[in-house]
C-alpha cells in the first residue's frame, strides 16, 4: 500500500458488491459480517482500497441503488455499528475504504419522497424532486419525451395527476439539485460518512444530477445535443463544493487524503476532463477501456486517448475491466465475433469459449495493471469467474428484466455470489452453512473457489496476487510505446516493460528479465493472448 498522500493516483481498488461477497449470518445474502470475515482475502490479494457498493437502508428495487436512508445500513447487511467496525478493521490492515453515494436519485420510500407525494402540487416537499403536470387535454401524457435508462417512459404519475421524473426505475425518483435543501442534505451526508472514517466516495451517475432548464423535449434539441438530463454545466459547481469538504478533512489529517471517483458516461474527452480539474473530482471510471473489445488497434487508441484526456488536467487515468453492471470479462473476451460491451446490447447468450476468454482475461489483467494510474478489480475477477447466463427467469431480480418486458435479462449474471470453498454450492458463501445464495451458483465453479486456487501457481488468483505485488514497481513512471508489430501492445514504464500479444502468431520479447507472464511462453516467444512483464 502506498503511503503517499496522493495514494489514489496509483491505487488498486477492489469492488465489493455486498449482497454477493460473503454471507456471515447464513441467510443466503451477503452482509457486513461476511465481509469482515473475508478481509484477509483482500489483504492477501494486495489491493490498496475497497469500494463498497450501496449498503444503505433500501427496499432493494434496484439492489440498494434506491436509497431510503443515507445514514443507516439496511438490516439485510447488518448495522451501522458493524460498518464502523469494518472501517476500523480495514484500516488496521492498511486498506482504505470508499463507499458508494447515490446523489442523482433516492428511493420512493425515502422520507422526503413520501412527504412530497402527500403534500401535493406546488409544495415545498415536491420542489425537492422533478414533479410536473402532464400534457394533453386531461394531463394524461407525460410532461416531456424523456425515457428511463431501464426502459419505458422516465415519468410516473401519482394519484393527484402530477408526474415525477426518474432516470432509472419508478422506485428511484430523481432529486432536484437546483433546490438548496438537496445541496445541503448531501453536504451533511458526506460529513456523516467522513466522520466515520471513510477515505472517499464513488459517485453513482455522477454526470446526471443537473437537468436542463425547462426540462425540454429531446426531440426539440439540435442533433447531437445529448440528453438534457446528463452532463449539464451546473454539475461542476456541485463537485467543487464537495471537493472543498473533502479537502477540509484531508487538511485535518494529511496522511489520509479523502477522494472522489465519478461514474461518468457520455462526455467527449474534453468534457470528461472537466470533471477532473484540480478543484473537482479526483478520478473517474474509464468506460471507453471497459467497453473496448480485445483488439490491438482499438485498445491502443483508447489507451492513447485516455492518457491524453487526463493529461489535460493532470489527473490519473483509471483502468477498469468489469463491474457490477457489466458482463464478466471471461465471457466477453471468449466470444469469437465481438468482445466489446454496450449497455444497449449485452449479447446475452452469445456463445463464448471460456478457455479462450480466460486466457485473454489473464492477459488483460496484466495489461491493465501495467498502465499508468489506478486500476479497479471487480470481485470474482481474481477467481476467473464467468457470467452466469442460464439463470431461471423467475429468479432474476434486476429491474431491467421487468422494465424491458422480459427482453433484456439484465445484470444478475455478474452478481452471482462468490465461491469460497468446498465442491458444491453454496461453496462456502454462507460460511459453514449450506443455505443457497440469493442467486444460484454454477456447479462448475467448484474448481474456481478461493480455496481451490490458493497455492496453485497457475491459478487466476495466484496471477492476481503476483501482479498486484509487482505493480507498485511501476510507480508513477510515464508510459512510452515500444516498436512492435501492429498486433502487439508493448510499452515501457521506468525499468519495467509490458508486452501483450493480441495476434494469432507468437511475438518476440524485448531484451530483459521476465518478471511475470499471464501464461506459458513458447520457446521464449509471447504466444497469442498473452501478456509478459520484463525488467529492462
Amino acid at each position: 500500500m502506498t503511503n503517499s498522500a496522493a495514494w489514489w493516483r496509483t491505487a488498486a481498488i477492489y469492488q465489493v458488491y455486498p449482497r454477493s461477497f460473503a454471507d456471515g449470518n447464513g441467510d443466503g445474502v451477503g452482509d457486513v459480517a461476511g465481509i469482515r470475515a473475508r478481509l484477509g482475502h483482500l489483504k492477501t490479494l494486495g489491493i490498496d482500497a475497497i469500494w463498497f457498493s450501496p449498503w444503505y437502508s433500501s427496499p432493494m428495487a434496484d439492489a440498494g441503488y434506491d436509497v431510503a436512508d443515507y445514514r443507516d445500513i439496511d438490516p439485510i447487511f447488518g448495522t451501522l455499528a458493524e460498518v464502523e467496525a469494518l472501517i476500523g478493521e480495514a484500516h488496521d490492515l492498511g486498506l482504505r475504504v470508499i463507499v458508494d453515494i447515490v446523489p442523482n436519485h433516492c428511493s420512493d420510500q425515502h422520507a422526503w419522497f413520501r412527504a412530497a407525494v402527500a403534500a401535493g402540487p406546488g409544495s415545498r416537499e415536491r420542489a425537492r424532486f422533478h414533479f410536473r403536470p402532464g400534457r394533453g387535454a386531461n394531463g394524461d401524457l407525460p410532461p416531456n419525451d424523456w425515457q428511463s435508462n431501464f426502459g419505458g417512459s422516465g415519468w410516473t404519475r401519482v394519484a393527484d395527476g402530477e408526474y415525477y421524473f426518474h432516470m432509472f426505475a419508478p422506485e428511484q425518483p430523481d432529486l432536484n439539485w437546483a433546490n438548496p435543501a438537496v445541496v445541503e442534505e448531501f453536504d451533511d451526508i458526506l460529513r456523516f460518512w467522513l466522520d466515520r472514517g471513510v477515505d472517499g466516495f464513488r459517485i453513482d451517475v455522477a454526470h446526471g444530477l443537473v437537468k436542463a432548464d425547462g426540462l425540454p423535449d429531446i426531440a426539440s434539441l439540435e442533433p447531437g445535443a445529448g440528453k438534457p438530463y446528463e452532463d449539464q454545466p451546473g454539475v461542476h459547481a456541485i463537485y467543487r463544493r464537495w471537493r472543498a469538504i473533502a479537502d477540509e478533512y484531508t487538511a485535518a489529517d494529511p496522511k489520509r487524503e479523502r477522494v472522489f471517483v465519478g461514474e461518468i458516461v457520455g462526455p467527449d474527452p474534453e468534457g470528461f476532463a472537466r470533471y477532473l480539474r484540480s478543484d473537482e473530482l479526483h478520478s473517474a471510471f474509464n468506460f471507453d477501456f471497459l467497453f473496448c473489445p480485445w483488439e490491438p488497434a482499438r485498445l491502443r487508441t483508447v489507451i492513447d486517448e485516455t492518457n491524453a484526456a487526463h493529461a489535460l488536467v493532470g489527473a490519473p487515468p483509471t483502468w477498469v475491466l468489469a463491474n457490477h453492471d457489466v458482463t464478466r470479462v471471461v465471457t466477453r473476451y471468449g466470444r469469437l465475433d465481438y468482445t466489446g460491451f454496450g449497455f444497449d446490447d449485452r449479447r446475452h447468450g452469445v456463445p463464448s469459449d471460456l478457455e479462450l476468454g480466460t486466457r485473454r482475461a489473464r492477459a488483460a489483467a496484466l495489461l491493465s495493471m501495467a498502465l499508468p494510474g489506478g486500476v479497479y478489480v471487480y470481485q470474482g475477477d481474481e477467481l476467473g469467474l464467468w457470467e452466469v447466463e442460464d439463470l431461471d427467469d423467475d429468479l432474476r431480480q434486476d429491474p431491467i428484466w421487468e422494465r424491458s418486458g422480459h427482453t433484456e435479462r439484465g445484470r444478475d449474471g455478474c452478481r452471482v455470489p462468490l465461491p469460497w470453498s468446498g465442491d458444491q454450492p453454496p461453496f462456502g458463501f454462507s460460511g459453514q452453512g449450506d443455505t443457497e445464495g440469493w442467486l444460484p451458483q454454477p456447479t462448475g465453479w467448484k474448481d474456481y473457489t478461493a480455496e481451490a486456487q490458493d497455492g496453485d501457481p497457475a491459478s487466476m488468483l495466484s496471477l492476481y496476487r503476483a501482479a498486484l505485488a509487482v505493480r507498485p514497481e511501476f510507480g508513477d513512471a510515464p508510459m512510452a510505446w515500444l516498436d512492435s508489430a501492429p498486433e502487439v501492445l508493448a510499452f515501457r514504464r521506468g525499468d519495467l516493460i509490458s508486452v501483450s500479444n493480441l495476434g494469432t502468431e507468437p511475438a518476440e520479447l524485448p531484451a530483459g528479465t521476465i518478471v511475470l507472464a499471464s501464461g506459458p511462453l513458447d520457446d521464449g516467444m509471447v504466444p497469442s493472448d498473452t501478456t509478459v512483464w520484463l525488467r529492462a
Side-chain angles (χ1 to χ4, degrees), residues 7 13 105 112 126 139 151 153 235 284 300 303 329 363 373 396 404 415 420 440:
W7 61 272
I13 301 175
H105 50 267
W112 276 14
R126 288 205 175 178
S153 173
V235 77
R300 184 186 291 264
I303 291 167
V329 65
R396 297 185 184 279
S404 68
R415 300 175 176 183
W420 290 100

Side-chain angles (χ1 to χ4, degrees), residues 150-351:
F150 285 173
S153 173
W155 294 92
T156 290
R157 202 173 192 184
V158 297
D160 57 39
E162 280 204 325
Y163 291 77
Y164 66 90
F165 177 65
H166 47 89
M167 190 186 296
F168 297 97
E171 296 88 352
Q172 296 168 287
D174 278 34
L175 291 155
N176 178 11
W177 276 86
N179 188 309
V182 174
V183 175
E184 293 168 4
E185 172 72 355
F186 276 87
D187 286 354
D188 190 75
I189 292 167
L190 293 178
R191 292 182 182 279
F192 178 89
W193 287 103
L194 289 167
D195 288 342
R196 277 152 185 80
V198 304
D199 300 281
F201 300 88
R202 177 266 190 184
I203 307 168
D204 185 59
V205 197
H207 57 288
L209 279 59
V210 175
K211 279 53 174 174
D213 291 343
L215 310 188
D217 279 314
I218 295 175
S220 71
L221 304 177
E222 293 293 326
K227 296 177 181 177
Y229 49 87
E230 294 182 353
D231 193 33
Q232 297 298 305
V235 77
H236 296 285
I238 297 169
Y239 297 134
R240 285 193 290 272
R241 183 181 181 108
W242 284 19
R243 179 62 175 260
I245 292 173
D247 287 351
E248 174 190 328
Y249 279 79
T250 298
D253 186 3
K255 293 182 179 179
R256 288 185 51 227
E257 186 170 2
R258 301 342 188 258
V259 303
F260 295 107
V261 56
E263 181 194 36
I264 300 167
V265 181
D268 60 26
E270 290 188 0
F272 183 86
R274 281 194 285 272
Y275 287 86
L276 304 179
R277 290 173 289 193
S278 61
D279 61 347
E280 293 192 38
L281 307 183
H282 298 76
S283 63
F285 289 142
N286 185 347
F287 283 98
D288 288 342
F289 187 76
L290 172 61
F291 296 164
C292 188
W294 184 246
E295 298 174 10
R298 295 180 69 169
L299 277 168
R300 184 186 291 264
T301 297
V302 165
I303 291 167
D304 283 341
E305 291 180 348
T306 294
N307 287 331
H310 287 77
L312 294 173
V313 288
T318 65
W319 309 99
V320 187
L321 292 173
N323 64 31
H324 64 292
D325 290 327
V326 174
T327 303
R328 282 199 179 272
V329 65
V330 166
T331 297
R332 296 201 322 267
Y333 282 178
R335 289 174 177 153
L336 299 180
D337 56 345
Y338 181 69
T339 54
F341 176 82
F343 287 127
D344 57 343
D345 182 9
R346 297 173 181 274
R347 311 183 75 242
H348 182 95
V350 172

